[in-house]
Amino acid sequence: MAEERIERKDLWQSLGKIRQSDWGRAARKLRLNFNSSWGKGSHSVIRDPRFPDPSDTRGFITTIQKSLGKQHNQRIFKQLLDFGIIEDDIWRALDML
């Protein structure tokens, strides 16, 4: 099922090749905090910089696994949209637009 909020469906379908490091670079471009020491094991976390304390759940945006597939990346993308980031800004941060 297609995600209704996504305008660039062609890019949406190509999210399978995005890696954890790509999300890290994108988070920094979007001025979000990205840290692998905040997650468990090989997971990393993207947080709202307004709430830098890892124990403050208000700052949590998403967890990023080390091994990602298309569905994982689509979930991460949707969580960034839910946080309020504009779709084209996410594509630009991922160097896909």
Side-chain angles (χ1 to χ4, degrees):
M1 177 187 246
E3 175 64 37
E4 297 297 321
R5 298 183 286 176
I6 305 300
E7 292 182 26
R8 299 184 185 275
K9 305 288 189 210
D10 56 327
L11 294 176
W12 179 250
Q13 292 304 317
S14 66
L15 276 174
K17 59 187 174 188
I18 303 299
R19 300 181 316 256
Q20 185 183 55
S21 59
D22 298 321
W23 284 115
R25 280 190 298 280
R28 287 187 274 285
K29 288 178 184 179
L30 294 167
R31 298 189 171 150
L32 301 172
N33 291 341
F34 176 84
N35 196 313
S36 57
S37 65
W38 290 336
K40 289 190 174 189
S42 61
H43 291 67
S44 297
V45 176
I46 295 178
R47 294 186 54 85
D48 182 340
R50 294 177 297 168
F51 305 101
D53 180 3
S55 65
D56 190 342
T57 59
R58 295 175 297 171
F60 177 79
I61 298 173
T62 189
T63 299
I64 302 174
Q65 299 169 232
K66 182 74 172 171
S67 179
L68 296 167
K70 184 165 90 172
Q71 290 179 337
H72 294 111
N73 287 322
Q74 289 175 341
R75 177 188 53 81
I76 293 164
F77 196 98
K78 287 190 276 186
Q79 288 174 316
L80 291 171
L81 288 175
D82 291 343
F83 180 66
I85 298 173
I86 297 167
E87 177 183 350
D88 281 353
D89 290 343
I90 300 170
W91 293 126
R92 282 188 203 94
L94 289 169
D95 295 326
M96 295 179 72
L97 187 62

